[in-house]
Amino acid sequence: QVQLLESGGGSVQPGGSLTLSCAASTSYNTMGWFIDAPGRDRGLVAGIGWLGYNTQYADSVKGRFTISRDNAKNLVYVKMNSLKPEDTAVYYCAAAGSFSTWIRDYDYWGQGTQVTVSS
């Protein structure tokens, strides 16, 4: 069992930045950030493999978001720059046993943290 706890959400103006953190109770192979917004299916924002070399981003966030991890501290981050109103969503941290972009492959989920981008 892996417990995941997100932090760092909040409200920010368009063009602003936020960094979300996810603390895991133990290390896990692949970590991902997913978003959940009204009218949209939950989808992968960014994923990162164990060594950090494998990363995957949704097209909508490429060049703006950066995922990283610190395995020694069991932490995963997503740095979000140039935020847009359409980035508004609940952001979930999730863990998978192998590198994947498919939501069904993620075994453990955090409770989510709200990000609101609005002027």
Side-chain angles (χ1 to χ4, degrees):
Q1 189 79 8
V2 179
Q3 295 179 330
L4 303 172
L5 182 63
E6 304 95 337
S7 61
S11 296
V12 64
Q13 292 186 341
S17 298
L18 280 176
T19 297
L20 304 182
S21 300
C22 174
S25 58
T26 187
S27 58
Y28 218 66
N29 186 300
T30 295
M31 303 297 294
W33 287 95
F34 288 78
I35 57 169
D36 209 355
R40 297 168 64 180
D41 293 333
R42 186 174 293 193
L44 181 71
V45 172
I48 187 167
W50 173 250
L51 294 178
Y53 299 136
N54 285 341
T55 58
Q56 182 71 35
Y57 295 93
D59 288 342
S60 60
V61 307
K62 284 179 181 177
R64 300 189 298 121
F65 290 15
T66 303
I67 189 170
S68 61
R69 65 189 298 167
D70 183 341
N71 290 338
K73 297 180 179 179
N74 295 335
L75 291 169
V76 181
Y77 308 97
V78 61
K79 171 71 171 175
M80 307 185 294
N81 294 325
S82 303
L83 283 161
K84 304 175 181 180
E86 51 264 42
D87 295 320
T88 295
V90 178
Y91 285 71
Y92 293 90
C93 177
S98 60
F99 191 77
S100 175
T101 60
W102 293 95
I103 189 171
R104 65 190 181 198
D105 291 330
Y106 284 77
D107 305 309
Y108 302 102
W109 294 82
Q111 294 298 308
T113 185
Q114 176 71 46
V115 171
T116 302
V117 185
S118 174
S119 56

